[in-house]
Amino acid sequence: MKSKEMTMADNQQQAPQFALQRIYMKDISFESPKAPEIFQKQWQPEVKLDLSTSNRPLEEGLYEVVLSLTVTVENGTEDSKETAFVTEVHQAGVFLAKGLDEEELHRTLGAFCPNILFPYAREAIDNLVLRGSFPPLMLAPVNFDALYMQAREQQSAQQQPEAVN
């Protein structure tokens, strides 16, 4: 018969564990190809946001998650648009995730961790834009759970064999 201490230790090892270990900037860039001429034009911005996430195991239960955001802002009318600026941020974090089943781990790394990283990436982009002498750019919140579910549905649809007539 196991002792009470051993049973508690076994339960602690099997219990799900999640912890943020570190948040850091992996890559960052800002370009304003039409400066300073762009500052002399009326400001009619069109903002395009591209985002992606990736993750990789570092060691047992430790993962790096990278949230990549690219913001391209064009200025002008439909007839005459110019790139005002492009900024890219790769916000990263190291996360401890143990005791999760495969689906929980995928969801944690694909939705929960990017959700933690997003405010840091959004602040970095806003700071870069301001330093570039452009008006503030506060990106709207992103529903990473919905994006994760959409990606999983697309993935499962691609894996299902096509019906034969």
Side-chain angles (χ1 to χ4, degrees):
M1 184 169 186
K2 287 186 176 181
S3 70
K4 188 173 182 179
E5 291 81 24
M6 284 187 68
T7 304
M8 288 177 64
D10 289 344
N11 287 342
Q12 285 178 345
Q13 286 178 350
Q14 294 173 357
Q17 297 176 9
F18 178 82
L20 171 63
Q21 301 294 306
R22 180 176 301 262
I23 290 181
Y24 56 98
M25 189 61 63
K26 191 161 183 128
D27 189 16
I28 192 166
S29 71
F30 179 87
E31 297 176 45
S32 181
K34 300 290 184 178
E37 292 81 14
I38 197 78
F39 301 126
Q40 297 172 338
K41 299 186 178 180
Q42 184 177 355
W43 189 238
Q44 297 174 318
E46 182 179 303
V47 179
K48 179 183 173 199
L49 170 66
D50 292 315
L51 67 85
S52 65
T53 63
S54 63
N55 63 74
R56 67 184 180 107
L58 300 174
E59 60 183 59
E60 178 74 30
L62 212 55
Y63 300 88
E64 177 190 51
V65 177
V66 179
L67 172 62
S68 301
L69 298 174
T70 303
V71 178
T72 304
V73 174
E74 292 183 333
N75 188 44
T77 62
E78 286 295 321
D79 300 335
S80 169
K81 285 191 182 189
E82 296 179 303
T83 299
F85 64 84
V86 177
T87 185
E88 186 171 11
V89 169
H90 293 218
Q91 186 71 55
V94 175
F95 297 89
L96 172 74
K98 289 185 175 180
L100 303 172
D101 67 36
E102 190 173 338
E103 179 58 34
E104 289 172 326
L105 180 61
H106 284 293
R107 183 181 201 92
T108 298
L109 298 176
F112 189 70
C113 293
N115 201 42
I116 291 171
L117 297 173
F118 184 75
Y120 295 93
R122 182 172 64 178
E123 179 185 25
I125 286 174
D126 188 49
N127 284 336
L128 286 169
V129 169
L130 287 172
R131 289 175 186 262
S133 191
F134 290 96
L137 177 68
M138 278 306 260
L139 299 173
V142 174
N143 186 340
F144 287 99
D145 287 321
L147 291 176
Y148 172 79
M149 292 306 294
Q150 184 181 33
R152 294 294 278 191
E153 287 171 7
Q154 288 174 351
Q155 184 181 32
S156 66
Q158 290 174 354
Q159 290 176 351
Q160 291 181 358
E162 292 184 27
V164 177
N165 292 336

